[in-house]
Amino acid sequence: MTKSCFFAVLLCGFNICVAQNFRPPAVPLITIDPYTSVWSFGNELNGSPTKHWTGKPNPLDGLIRVDGKTYRFMGAAVPILKTVIGTAKVEEYQAVYTTEKPAADWNKENFKATGWETGKAPFGTKDRNDNMLKTGTIFPKEIWYRREFTLDNISFEKIGLNIFHDDDVSVFINGVSAYECSNCFTGGYETKKISEAARKSLKKGKNILAAYCKNGAGPGYIDIGLTDEIAPKGTDVIRTAKQTSLIMKATQSIYSFDAGPVQITASFVAPLLMDDLALLSRPVNYIVYDVKSKDGKVHDVQVFTSVSGLLAVNEGNQEVTERAGKDGGLLTLAIGSLDQKVLQRKGDDVRIDWGYAYLAASEKTVSSSAFGTPAGLIKSFSQKGTLDPINTMVIGTGETRAMGTISNIGKVDSKGASNHVLLGYDDEFSVQYFEKNLLPWWNKSGDKTIQGELKEAETNFNQIMIACKAVDIKIYDDALKAGGKIYAELCTAAYRQAIAAHKLVAGPGGVPLFLSKENFSNGSIGTVDITYPSAPLFLTYNPTLLKGMMEPIFYYSESGKWKKPFAAHDVGTYPLANGQTYDEDMPVEESGNMLILTYAISKAEKNLEFAKKHWETLTVWANYLKKEGFDPANQLCTDDFAGHLAHNTNLSIKAIMGLASYAKMAEQLGQKKEADEVNALVKEYAKKWMEMAADGNHYALTFDKKNTWSQKYNLVWDKLLGLNVFPKEVAKKEINFYLTKQLAFGLPLDSRKTYTKSDWILWTATLADNQKDFEALIKPVYKYVTETTDRIPLSDWHETTDGKSVGFRARSVVGGYYMKVLEAKLK
C-alpha cells in the first residue's frame, strides 16, 4: 500500500453509517499508561518495528502460519546492526573540537584544525538527562568537532549513523553533507540514514566525520558512530501478509490482512472505559485474532505473538529476568528488569524499568510458549510451527530476550475462528506522591494481584468487548452529532492518546488521582496547563477524572507545601510528584485554569461539592487574579514555547473567565456580597478589555501592540459555561478575522509565527456560531492529522505551512478536541 493511500472503512453507529477515509499519523496498539505504550508508526502494521510513543523500539511481532507457510502481519524483522565505528557508548574515542565558530571550511576533509582542543567523547553540556552518558567533554552551547576513522573495506549493505543529538545537528563525511536536522533532537541513540553522496565519499583508509551541534534548551549532547544494517537472508526471510484495511475506533485499532488463502484481522483493544474506573485502570489490553478462509477450503492455522523484553526496560542493555506460570487455566509469561529500582527513574524521554510485562492466554488455546531471543522465537515458529520448551533464563537483556506464545486456531473455514491474547504490565507502585509511593487504582487496597487481573480480564472477555464496542459507537456518534464526520474522526483519533497519557492511582484516603505526564515536552507530572486543554474529554464523560487531575494542585497549596498566592504549575517530574520542578511559575495561567475548571465541574455534575471542598484555596487564587489578572505582567502562559509576553489579551480573557466562574460559584454558595463585587469587577474588566484590545476588524495579541492578533481560545468558556461576560459580537468578529488567516494546515496560533496548536484550534472553532464556520476552521486540522509526513503519535504543535510537527507528541491535550462535544452536553 502506498503512502498516499488512505484506509477506507465503514463505521456504523446506531442509525448512522458513514465511510471513514482516515490515516492517523501513528496508530495506538497497546495503550495502558505513559510507560506501557506501543504504537505503529506508519501505514502498514508490518512495515516497521512497533515503538513506544517516544519512538524507542517496543517490538511486538505477529506471524500467522497457514498450512505450513508463514506470513508476518505485525512488526518488521529487526535488522542486525553491525558497528562500523562505535559511539562513546560502546568504545572510547577522541576528537578535536572547538566551541568558537570556526572558518567556513571547518567540515572539509583537508581542513587544518589548528588551535582546536582534543577531548573524549561524548560531548555534552554540564547538565544531562538520564539517557546521556555522564562522561566525556563539556561544551556550553555550541560545538564543532572532527573525528578521524579508518576503514579496511567499504562494502556495506545499508550504512547509517548511530547518533544521539540534542539539539540541532549537521553531520559531514569527508566534507560531504551526510545528515542534518534543525529544530529537533533525539531522546537516545538512533539509527539515521546518510545521504547517498556521503555514502559514496567513504573510502579505504582515513576518513573524517565532522559534526556541529547546537543546544537550544535543556541538556545538550552529541555522539556519533557508523553502523551497517544487515538484512535477513535465506530461510530467515518471511513472507509479508498484505494489509487490506485499518479501522480506527475509540478503544480499538483493527487491521485486516490477506495471508495466502486466509484473512486475518488483528484487533488491538484497550478497555479505557471512563465510567468504570476499575476497568480503566486495569493494566491489561487485548490482541484479538479473527481468521477465516477466503477460498472456501479448510486451512490449518496457528498465530504467533511475541513481546520484547524492551517493554520492561529503559535501555536495551539493561538486564532482565523471566518467569512463567499457570493459574486458573491461564498461561502467563513475564519479563522484568533484574534490578528493580522502583520509582527511581524520572524524566520525559524515558521508559519504565521496574515491574513486569506480561503475555497471557488461555491454556486451552496455546499450543506452545517460550522465552528466547526475538529472532530465535520467530525462526522456530516460522520453520517448525512450534517453540522450544520454556527455558527461563536468569539473566538476559531487554533487547536480546522476548516471550512468545502460539495460539492454535486450528482448522479454519469460511465461517472463521477467533482467539486472543492478553498483554499487561504490573508496575507495583505507580507514582510517588509527596514522598509516599502510591498503588495503582486497580490495586487501591493492596489486596489484588496482576495474575488476578489477568484472570478477570480473561473471564470477562466477551462482556468487556461488548462494552468497548458500545463506547466506540457512543464516542463516534456524540462527536458526529456535535460537529460532523471529520470532527468525529478527529475525536476518535484523540481518545486513547488523551487517556493513556495519565496514570490512575489511589491517593491518600482512597481519593482517585489521575496524574498526567507531559509527554515529549518536559516530563512534568500533574501540569495544570496540560489538565486545562485536555479537560473537555473528561468533563464530558467522567468529571471524577478531571477532579483527580486537579486534586494534587489543591493539596499542594492546602498542605502548606506550596506557599505562593497562586496555583502551582505542576507537582513534579513523572513519576515523582513531590513538588513543582518547572523552573518558572505561570501565576495568571494556572490560577485562571483552576477556577474555570472547578466551575465547569460544578456545571457537569450539577452540584458545587468540589468547589465547597476547596473554597478557601479558590478564594486565594481569585484574589490574586483580581489584582494581577486583567493586564498580565511579562510572564508565561500555557503556550510557553512562544516565550514571555506582557499584556497578553488572551491570558487576560482567562483571568476574566476565572473570576466570572468564581463569581458564579460564590453566588450559588450564598455569598451574595462577594459575587456582586466580583461580577462588577468582571463587567468593568470586560469593557476595558474590548477598548484596549481593539485593533480594527479584530482584537490584538497584546494591549500595547496593534497590527497583531491571536487565537482567543479562552473565550470559549464564556459561551459554554453561560458566563455571558462579553457580547457575542466579540467572538463573531474574531471568527470572521480568523477565516482570513488560515493556512494549508491550520490557523496559526498568533501573528508572531506560522506554527499552531491543534487543540486550541478546536476550541477556537467552537466559538463559531454556525456549522459552516466550525468546519472551515477544523478542515485544515484534519488535513494535518491525515497528511502530515511525521509518522508519530499525534503532535499538538505543528506548522501550518507544511503540516510538520514542531514538537510534542502523544500528549493528553488532544482531549481538548472534545470541546464541541462538551458544548453539546452543557446546553
Side-chain angles (χ1 to χ4, degrees):
M1 190 171 292
T2 63
K3 289 184 178 179
S4 61
C5 183
F6 283 0
F7 302 115
V9 302
L10 190 69
L11 288 182
C12 296
F14 295 120
N15 297 318
I16 302 169
C17 286
V18 293
Q20 180 191 20
N21 295 303
F22 186 72
R23 186 229 70 179
V27 181
L29 304 177
I30 304 299
T31 45
I32 290 176
D33 58 29
Y35 282 138
T36 305
S37 172
V38 184
W39 295 68
S40 176
F41 276 50
N43 281 354
E44 288 81 28
L45 180 60
N46 52 10
S48 59
T50 60
K51 300 177 181 180
H52 188 266
W53 61 258
T54 56
K56 297 299 184 299
N58 250 4
L60 301 181
D61 288 294
L63 283 71
I64 181 170
R65 189 173 167 91
V66 183
D67 300 329
K69 294 182 179 179
T70 305
Y71 304 81
R72 175 184 287 276
F73 64 87
M74 177 167 60
V78 178
I80 298 172
L81 297 178
K82 180 181 178 182
T83 299
V84 178
I85 61 169
T87 63
K89 193 173 180 179
V90 297
E91 67 179 47
E92 287 189 3
Y93 74 87
Q94 291 187 329
V96 293
Y97 73 96
T98 180
T99 56
E100 300 292 332
K101 188 173 182 178
D105 61 344
W106 67 274
N107 53 28
K108 300 303 180 185
E109 187 176 1
N110 296 320
F111 175 77
K112 303 298 183 185
T114 305
W116 288 32
E117 297 181 65
T118 299
K120 286 185 178 180
F123 299 90
T125 53
K126 182 179 180 181
D127 295 321
R128 306 185 193 186
N129 65 37
D130 288 344
N131 289 337
M132 298 172 176
L133 301 178
K134 303 300 190 291
T135 55
T137 303
I138 293 174
F139 72 91
K141 190 75 175 178
E142 294 178 282
I143 188 167
W144 295 257
Y145 83 85
R146 293 167 59 88
R147 176 186 184 184
E148 182 177 313
F149 62 96
T150 301
L151 296 177
D152 295 329
N153 72 80
I154 54 172
S155 178
F156 303 113
E157 285 194 24
K158 190 177 179 182
I159 195 163
L161 301 180
N162 184 6
I163 185 171
F164 188 164
H165 68 89
D166 190 349
D167 295 300
D168 301 355
V169 69
S170 297
V171 182
F172 303 84
I173 294 175
N174 295 327
V176 178
S177 177
Y179 173 76
E180 187 168 353
C181 192
S182 60
N183 195 25
C184 69
F185 62 92
T186 63
Y189 289 87
E190 297 183 8
T191 302
K192 300 291 185 182
K193 294 179 182 178
I194 64 173
S195 69
E196 181 64 14
R199 186 192 66 78
K200 290 180 178 178
S201 77
L202 290 168
K203 57 191 177 182
K204 289 184 179 180
K206 189 181 83 170
N207 293 262
I208 296 291
L209 185 152
Y212 162 71
C213 182
K214 178 181 179 180
N215 180 39
Y221 192 84
I222 181 70
D223 186 18
I224 308 171
L226 290 174
T227 187
D228 192 21
E229 186 177 304
I230 311 299
K233 296 176 178 63
T235 57
D236 291 334
V237 177
I238 297 173
R239 299 173 186 86
T240 301
K242 181 183 178 182
Q243 184 171 308
T244 56
S245 70
L246 163 65
I247 300 174
M248 275 284 292
K249 296 186 179 183
T251 68
Q252 304 180 62
S253 299
I254 306 170
Y255 289 91
S256 290
F257 303 85
D258 287 340
V262 305
Q263 179 190 74
I264 177 170
T265 298
S267 302
F268 299 84
V269 185
L272 298 175
L273 310 187
M274 282 190 278
D275 61 351
D276 186 338
L277 296 190
L279 191 56
L280 179 82
S281 68
R282 178 183 290 161
V284 180
N285 281 193
Y286 302 98
I287 308 177
V288 183
Y289 301 125
D290 294 294
V291 186
K292 66 179 180 180
S293 170
K294 295 189 303 174
D295 60 6
K297 298 179 181 179
V298 176
H299 300 281
D300 187 47
V301 177
Q302 298 84 37
V303 175
F304 168 75
T305 308
S306 175
V307 176
S308 170
L310 287 172
L311 270 70
V313 294
N314 180 57
E315 292 284 349
N317 61 0
Q318 287 181 269
E319 295 176 329
V320 296
T321 185
E322 302 155 355
R323 58 194 188 194
K326 295 180 181 180
D327 187 3
L330 202 66
L331 182 145
T332 61
L333 307 178
I335 293 181
S337 62
L338 183 65
D339 190 5
Q340 289 280 312
K341 294 182 177 179
V342 179
L343 293 170
Q344 292 189 30
R345 184 186 297 276
K346 66 176 182 176
D348 182 20
D349 189 11
V350 297
R351 285 139 302 282
I352 196 167
D353 57 1
W354 71 89
Y356 289 83
Y358 283 81
L359 175 63
S362 169
E363 281 188 78
K364 296 177 182 178
T365 67
V366 176
S367 63
S368 185
S369 62
F371 296 99
T373 65
L377 292 175
I378 290 170
K379 186 171 185 178
S380 179
F381 174 75
S382 176
Q383 296 182 5
K384 299 188 297 184
T386 187
L387 303 176
D388 294 330
I390 289 177
N391 177 21
T392 304
M393 289 184 60
V394 176
I395 298 176
T397 64
E399 62 192 351
T400 63
R401 300 299 292 172
M403 50 188 173
T405 63
I406 298 175
S407 300
N408 185 28
I409 309 296
K411 302 299 182 182
V412 175
D413 57 19
S414 57
K415 293 180 182 179
S418 182
N419 216 320
H420 63 270
V421 297
L422 301 88
L423 199 153
Y425 204 101
D426 181 13
D427 59 8
E428 300 179 12
F429 288 100
S430 299
V431 302
Q432 188 175 95
Y433 187 69
F434 296 99
E435 310 304 332
K436 182 180 180 181
N437 292 350
L438 298 187
L439 292 165
W441 182 258
W442 64 266
N443 192 25
K444 59 182 182 292
S445 299
D447 58 353
K448 294 191 175 183
T449 65
I450 187 64
Q451 288 80 9
E453 293 299 293
L454 288 165
K455 283 195 292 183
E456 197 167 327
E458 175 64 18
T459 299
N460 298 321
F461 169 74
N462 290 328
Q463 177 185 336
I464 290 169
M465 287 298 297
I466 290 170
C468 286
K469 290 174 183 176
V471 167
D472 292 339
I473 291 171
K474 180 171 178 55
I475 294 297
Y476 186 85
D477 280 0
D478 285 354
L480 182 69
K481 292 169 186 174
K485 175 179 174 291
I486 66 171
Y487 177 63
E489 292 175 1
L490 287 172
C491 287
T492 296
Y495 186 84
R496 271 171 285 168
Q497 174 171 315
I499 297 171
H502 298 81
K503 188 70 178 182
L504 184 62
V505 298
V511 173
L513 301 180
F514 196 48
L515 289 156
S516 64
K517 180 176 182 182
E518 196 168 342
N519 290 342
F520 231 72
S521 177
N522 67 357
S524 289
I525 186 170
T527 307
V528 179
D529 57 288
I530 294 295
T531 294
Y532 178 69
S534 72
L537 172 62
F538 305 103
L539 278 167
T540 302
Y541 294 109
N542 191 348
T544 295
L545 292 170
L546 179 57
K547 290 189 286 188
M549 296 154 75
M550 297 169 68
E551 284 285 10
I553 299 297
F554 280 120
Y555 171 77
Y556 197 11
S557 285
E558 291 162 1
S559 66
K561 299 177 189 296
W562 177 260
K563 303 181 185 302
K564 298 177 183 180
F566 46 78
H569 169 271
D570 61 78
V571 289
T573 299
Y574 197 94
L576 305 183
N578 295 322
Q580 180 171 311
T581 51
Y582 193 69
D583 57 7
E584 191 165 350
D585 299 325
M586 298 184 190
V588 173
E589 172 70 38
E590 313 303 20
S591 299
N593 291 341
M594 293 294 286
L595 288 164
I596 292 167
L597 294 181
T598 301
Y599 183 51
I601 287 170
S602 75
K603 293 277 283 187
E605 293 190 327
K606 296 182 173 58
N607 68 67
L608 274 94
E609 294 306 311
F610 189 61
K612 277 187 198 175
K613 179 180 178 182
H614 300 295
W615 189 249
E616 288 186 18
T617 306
L618 291 168
T619 299
V620 171
W621 295 339
N623 288 337
Y624 176 83
L625 291 183
K626 291 175 190 177
K627 298 175 184 177
E628 307 292 342
F630 172 71
D631 189 6
N634 188 37
Q635 59 184 250
L636 295 173
C637 71
T638 183
D639 305 316
D640 53 354
F641 51 83
H644 292 75
L645 187 65
H647 318 297
N648 184 337
T649 59
N650 188 45
L651 188 57
S652 176
I653 289 174
K654 178 167 289 180
I656 295 169
M657 293 296 101
L659 288 170
S661 297
Y662 175 76
K664 286 282 189 182
M665 291 184 286
E667 182 180 331
Q668 293 170 31
L669 288 170
Q671 299 185 15
K672 187 175 184 304
K673 181 181 178 183
E674 176 73 353
D676 288 346
E677 289 178 359
V678 177
N679 274 324
L681 185 62
V682 166
K683 185 176 180 180
E684 174 193 338
Y685 281 171
K687 184 174 182 294
K688 283 173 61 178
W689 189 95
M690 289 186 287
E691 293 170 354
M692 293 172 60
D695 197 7
N697 62 348
H698 67 284
Y699 296 93
L701 167 68
T702 66
F703 289 129
D704 62 336
K705 294 178 182 177
K706 302 306 176 183
N707 299 315
T708 61
W709 63 273
S710 64
Q711 291 188 45
K712 308 300 189 300
Y713 52 80
N714 289 318
L715 189 59
V716 73
W717 296 110
D718 201 27
K719 179 182 180 183
L720 263 66
L721 299 180
L723 300 173
N724 300 316
V725 173
F726 289 90
K728 292 181 180 179
E729 289 73 21
V730 173
K732 183 67 176 175
K733 180 186 284 191
E734 285 289 280
I735 291 294
N736 289 340
F737 181 78
Y738 298 150
L739 291 170
T740 71
K741 293 296 180 181
Q742 293 203 102
L743 297 176
F745 293 91
L747 176 67
L749 185 63
D750 57 50
S751 53
R752 292 174 291 177
K753 299 280 187 179
T754 54
Y755 58 56
T756 195
K757 291 280 270 83
S758 57
D759 48 336
W760 296 146
I761 293 179
L762 270 293
W763 287 37
T764 295
T766 305
L767 282 170
D769 61 7
N770 62 81
Q771 183 67 15
K772 180 182 177 182
D773 289 348
F774 174 79
E775 287 188 357
L777 287 163
I778 70 167
K779 279 181 180 177
V781 176
Y782 185 83
K783 178 179 174 67
Y784 155 65
V785 172
T786 59
E787 296 182 23
T788 178
T789 56
D790 291 312
R791 307 311 300 272
I792 57 177
L794 190 55
S795 168
D796 53 286
W797 181 21
H798 73 271
E799 260 295 342
T800 58
T801 55
D802 59 12
K804 290 187 69 65
S805 168
V806 178
F808 308 153
R809 71 174 71 161
R811 301 206 308 165
S812 63
V813 301
V814 295
Y817 286 15
Y818 284 78
M819 185 59 87
K820 189 72 172 172
V821 181
L822 178 62
E823 179 189 31
K825 174 181 177 172
L826 294 179
K827 279 184 178 177

